[in-house]
Amino acid sequence: MVGGAGTNIANPDIGWERSAKLNIGLDAGLFDNKIVATFDYFRSTTSNILAPRADVPFIFGAASPDYNVAKVRNTGWEASVTYNLRSKDVTQSFSLNVADNQNKLLKLTGSATETIYNQDVFQLIRRVGSPITQYYGYETNGFFQNQQDIDNSPKIAGNNVQPGDLKFKDLNGDGIIDEKDKTILGNPFPRYTFGFTYRIAYKGFDLSLFIQGVGKRDAFLRGELVEPFHYGYGATVYEHQTDIWSPSNPNARYPILANIGSPSNTNNWRTGSDLYKYDAAYVRLKNINIGYSFSPAVTKKLGIQRLRLSLIGQNLATLSKLKFIDPETSEFGNNLNPGSASNSARQYPLPVFYGAGLDVTF
């Protein structure tokens, strides 16, 4: 016997999203195009976005289908400048581009102004007037340093704490830590994306180098790469997890070590807070290509038109405060809905590639 219940229903009135866009651009070439610059500003408002309704009562007995109800605005800009430098034997170019984009939720569904989603131990919030999705939970306030600190500080009801456990901010000042003290903790959307490209050619030699990165981004991560002794995945402590609280290390990154199921583990790791928040800004040497093209005199003797040898490297170096996982990792898909375990830091490591190339034109 196989039992089950269908809880999804269709909406025959679904239609296309609608978008109104404004784009303003400026292109400039100066000093006989030695300097080329561009600037673009855009503003896009998308309405009739598919989203479930929030006003369907539970007694209905089925999940809400998607409706054309949500509305989002994206505003941003992109600027680039290229400097070309030429001499008798050497040609160089320097290119820099910077872009920023911000989104705002204008309408969610019906009369609802916010929706909170449970994402493992912390939460995500969608609030009208704010970015589409933000992290939501408790702000940490250091650690309990001693018993006197425990006695004089607000705590979550039912949480038994000890020195080395996390303290949380009492944002409404009522002397207890509860749902009323939760707040927006960060924004997963990247800000200030940038890239830099350098090219140089000298006689038969050429080199191109590409650097890219993100100036500001918050990432919330879970799993055994974050929490020591994580549930069900072995009694593992990684090197980057060893900055833990002790009387001699009161300003540590992580709270005191605690076994799974212990009161300290419940307070520190089962309570959604900015303990899971990491700075995911980074700069990466994305690509480098060094080559040599043989002269026409050589290729003519070989009976070919062009011959070039090259050495290639990708993802050769990354500078970031977030070192134990690729800082470019995101737990959000194209539809901005997080997966159930995609924030667990179980990502395939970023591969570093070294190669060589042979280009022959007959």
Side-chain angles (χ1 to χ4, degrees), residues 180-242:
K180 298 176 183 178
D181 297 301
K182 289 185 176 181
T183 186
I184 292 173
L185 300 176
N187 187 332
F189 299 98
R191 300 285 309 276
Y192 312 115
T193 57
F194 60 87
F196 172 77
T197 302
Y198 172 68
R199 294 185 177 91
I200 183 172
Y202 173 70
K203 295 184 178 179
F205 292 95
D206 64 89
L207 177 146
S208 65
L209 177 149
F210 175 51
I211 296 172
Q212 56 94 218
V214 169
K216 181 180 180 182
R217 179 173 169 260
D218 300 322
F220 272 58
L221 302 173
R222 285 277 290 116
E224 59 274 14
L225 281 175
V226 176
E227 177 189 350
F229 310 137
H230 182 62
Y231 268 101
Y233 298 99
T236 305
V237 178
Y238 291 91
E239 183 178 0
H240 63 266
Q241 298 170 339
T242 56

Side-chain angles (χ1 to χ4, degrees), residues 290-308:
I290 303 173
Y292 178 75
S293 298
F294 289 86
S295 66
V298 174
T299 57
K300 185 176 181 180
K301 292 180 181 180
L302 297 175
I304 57 179
Q305 295 184 18
R306 183 174 181 269
L307 176 61
R308 180 178 181 270

Side-chain angles (χ1 to χ4, degrees), residues 319-331:
L319 299 178
S320 177
K321 294 181 179 179
L322 182 56
K323 300 183 182 302
F324 61 88
I325 191 174
D326 180 7
E328 200 170 6
T329 295
S330 174
E331 68 270 32

Side-chain angles (χ1 to χ4, degrees), residues 247-266:
S248 60
N249 189 28
N251 299 314
R253 171 64 175 87
Y254 298 105
I256 190 171
L257 284 178
N259 291 328
I260 297 298
S262 67
S264 288
N265 183 271
T266 298

Side-chain angles (χ1 to χ4, degrees), residues 14-19 46-51 68 70:
I14 283 178
W16 294 105
E17 296 179 353
R18 296 182 178 181
S19 183
T46 304
S47 58
N48 288 0
I49 299 173
L50 291 173
N68 296 100

Side-chain angles (χ1 to χ4, degrees), residues 269-334:
W269 296 103
R270 309 276 78 78
T271 304
S273 71
D274 56 14
L275 174 67
Y276 301 102
K277 181 178 177 179
Y278 294 86
D279 184 350
Y282 70 93
V283 179
R284 174 172 292 153
L285 178 55
K286 189 67 176 179
N287 181 276
I288 187 169
N289 191 312
I290 303 173
Y292 178 75
S293 298
F294 289 86
S295 66
V298 174
T299 57
K300 185 176 181 180
K301 292 180 181 180
L302 297 175
I304 57 179
Q305 295 184 18
R306 183 174 181 269
L307 176 61
R308 180 178 181 270
L309 300 175
S310 61
L311 297 176
I312 306 165
Q314 293 181 350
N315 304 320
L316 298 183
T318 301
L319 299 178
S320 177
K321 294 181 179 179
L322 182 56
K323 300 183 182 302
F324 61 88
I325 191 174
D326 180 7
E328 200 170 6
T329 295
S330 174
E331 68 270 32
F332 293 92
N334 292 333

